[in-house]
Structure formats: structure tokens, C-alpha cells
Amino acid sequence: IKRLISGWKEQGAVSERAAKTAARAFELLAVAEGKVHGIDPERVHFHEVGAFDAIMDIVGFGIALELLDIGRVEGSAVTLGSGVIEAAHGRMSVPPPAVAELVAREGIPTTGAPLKGECLTPTGAALLSATVERWGTVPPFAKIHAQGFGAGTRDTAEGANAVRVFIGE
């Protein structure tokens, strides 16, 4: 994956900043997966996260940060979810081990929202770990320039399956 991203950077398809963001996210995820599996991070084999769409999600996030000219990323508490999921290693409790490791290692604050299913994926946890500089409540803004939200396809009675973003100063 690192060679793929590096190749895109060398070809001019991905900027230095986007490549660095993506490489950092994969590095943090490899360290977490390595700890969970008791192996060196360089020997980690990504399953779901190694799929092309997940690679594009992570690289695309880095590109979006650059195109939107985001200088600093701050985050508020995230919901982990509950229950079990089916993964490459079989049935796993939510949050899966790599997510739990990233949350613990990187100090990502969590909510106690009782949502069923996986709310924070390994990809999401890696991106947060690689980019968020400060955790807390939504920061005060002198001016909000834009806001946006993205919703997942899973509907729950317990609450929205969405993420919200503010761009401001």
C-alpha cells in the first residue's frame, strides 16, 4: 500500500500532503493491527482495509483536506457502536480489536451512545488518528465558512448514522 501511494505521488496523481496523510493513516493502522496480532507492523496483511475502495477512501480523505485547504483538524467524541460484526477473521465484538487499540493508543474520546453495529471502522479510526490535532467539544468559531455531513446507508432507531463537519476559523 505504501508503494502504491508513493507511486501515485511520483506520477503526480497525489500531492505530497495527501500521500503523507494516507501513509500516516496506514502506518498507525499497521501498528495497531500488529499489536493485536502480535506481529511486526511491516508484516501486517490488511483484509478489508487493504481493499481498493478503502485505499481510495483514505487517499481521497487526504486529497479532500488539501483541496479544502484545511489547516487544522479538531474532533469531538465518536460513537463506537455495539454488538458483533462479520469480518475477515470471523465474528468479532464491536469495536473490533484494531479500532479499540487505536482509540486507546491515540486517546480518541468516545460517547456512550447505545447504537447497535459498527459505528467507528478501522479506516475511520486510522483517519482520525492521523489527522485530529485536538479532541474536545465542537470548537468555537469566529466564522463558519461551510458545513457538511455524510450519512451511512444503515438506518437505526437509536440515532443518525452520520458524521458532521464544520470548516471555519
Side-chain angles (χ1 to χ4, degrees):
I1 293 172
K2 287 193 293 188
R3 280 193 304 271
L4 181 65
I5 294 168
S6 180
W8 289 339
K9 183 181 76 171
E10 290 169 11
Q11 295 168 6
V14 176
S15 70
E16 176 75 31
R17 179 180 177 192
K20 185 176 178 182
T21 298
R24 179 74 177 139
F26 277 109
E27 175 186 317
L28 290 167
L29 187 55
V31 168
E33 288 281 2
K35 181 170 183 191
V36 166
H37 293 287
I39 62 173
D40 184 271
E42 291 295 320
R43 296 189 56 232
V44 166
H45 173 76
F46 291 117
H47 297 283
E48 292 90 347
V49 178
F52 189 72
D53 63 331
I55 294 169
M56 294 311 297
D57 287 345
I58 291 174
V59 173
F61 187 87
I63 292 169
L65 287 178
E66 183 170 17
L67 290 176
L68 293 169
D69 195 26
I70 304 299
R72 178 180 171 91
V73 178
E74 298 189 13
S76 57
V78 298
T79 301
L80 297 175
S82 65
V84 296
I85 58 168
E86 290 293 332
H89 294 296
R91 290 177 60 84
M92 300 179 125
S93 295
V94 172
V99 171
E101 177 62 25
L102 281 165
V103 166
R105 178 187 305 272
E106 302 300 322
I108 299 173
T110 62
T111 69
L115 297 178
K116 291 185 174 87
E118 184 178 38
C119 295
L120 181 61
T121 65
T123 299
L127 286 169
L128 292 173
S129 298
T131 60
V132 173
E133 295 178 38
R134 184 189 77 83
W135 290 100
T137 59
V138 175
F141 290 97
K143 182 176 183 178
I144 293 177
H145 297 288
Q147 69 165 323
F149 67 92
T153 57
R154 183 172 40 110
D155 290 326
T156 67
E158 296 89 10
N161 178 19
V163 63
R164 190 170 185 190
V165 175
F166 293 100
I167 299 175
E169 52 188 82

